[in-house]
Amino acid sequence: MAIGALPLLAVTVAGCGGPAPGPTGERTAPAGARPAPAGTGASTEPRPLTGAQTARAMLSTIDLPVGWSVAKEDLSPAVEKDDHGIQDVKGDAACNRVVADSFRSVRPSAVVGRTMENPMARRSLMFEVKTFPSVTGARQAVEEARQLRRACATATAGPYPVRYGVLEGPRRGDESVGVRMRVGGNRFDEFVIRVGTSITVVTFPGATGDDPGLVESLTAQATEKLRQAAAG
């Protein structure tokens, strides 16, 4: 699925983070970064994840409390048509420019997704990991989420009226952002988190997003799994 698609998306302002400071306060290199050649003074460049690494970065049942199970998943890293660009969203001229620009951004090189459910609690969660050929593509994906909530406060997605807005949340990864999407009476809170050349997306439909402990835990775990995949 792509940012802005139904029913996956709504974004949450997780804010913009950065790599952790090193022992002397300097920024450490991102996970999976290529060391710069000696004497060049060039900055490190994160390596794109392989398809297998992208799949390993996906949250699973062992990362969730008891009661959650897999409802559906697509762990094939093959990129489908609707994995690129903001799909089906239409609004005013500013919103439509954001949508058009999203199809000119860097295309992902690997995409995996999984939907989890807790039947007893009548709750669901959606996870997605996307890898790009370069950090530019991953940065564009985060920026698309920012622009979506800014320019498409009122829009339509297919036959549905949809509203996008800011949602506060924890700072994660190299940078992160969030959007709250409302489709009729339904709400979707989505966190988009970048680590190097990849993004991990965690979506909390409805009241699932009202549990601050779950939001804090899953966004942290999603970020860490992406870092571990990049390092391995």
Side-chain angles (χ1 to χ4, degrees), residues 151-170:
C152 299
T154 302
T156 60
Y160 306 103
V162 58
R163 291 183 293 154
Y164 295 95
V166 169
L167 179 61
E168 297 293 340

Side-chain angles (χ1 to χ4, degrees), residues 8-136:
L8 258 170
L9 300 168
V11 187
T12 313
V13 175
C16 297
T24 60
E26 76 276 8
R27 294 295 183 179
T28 58
R34 298 188 185 97
T40 63
S43 60
T44 56
E45 179 184 351
R47 290 189 299 267
L49 271 60
T50 65
Q53 287 174 311
T54 303
R56 286 202 300 271
M58 176 65 59
L59 288 173
S60 65
T61 52
I62 63 173
D63 303 306
L64 274 69
V66 174
W68 290 90
S69 59
V70 175
K72 62 180 179 179
E73 63 184 7
D74 182 359
L75 300 184
S76 166
V79 178
E80 307 294 339
K81 180 180 179 181
D82 64 354
D83 290 327
H84 181 232
I86 299 171
Q87 301 288 327
D88 301 326
V89 174
K90 295 181 179 179
D92 60 17
C95 178
N96 291 341
R97 280 195 298 272
V98 172
V99 173
D101 287 345
S102 74
F103 290 94
R104 291 189 279 268
S105 63
V106 176
R107 184 179 178 84
S109 55
V111 180
V112 295
R114 175 178 282 150
T115 299
M116 310 285 284
E117 64 181 4
N118 186 328
M120 294 295 293
R122 300 179 68 181
R123 298 285 186 263
S124 62
L125 291 162
M126 289 169 278
F127 308 119
E128 185 178 53
V129 180
K130 287 186 177 184
T131 290
F132 296 83
S134 67
V135 71
T136 297

Side-chain angles (χ1 to χ4, degrees), residues 12-16 166-172 176 178 191 215-216 219:
T12 313
V13 175
C16 297
V166 169
L167 179 61
E168 297 293 340
R171 294 161 60 102
R172 296 288 185 241
S176 53
F191 292 85
V215 171
E216 183 79 16
T219 55

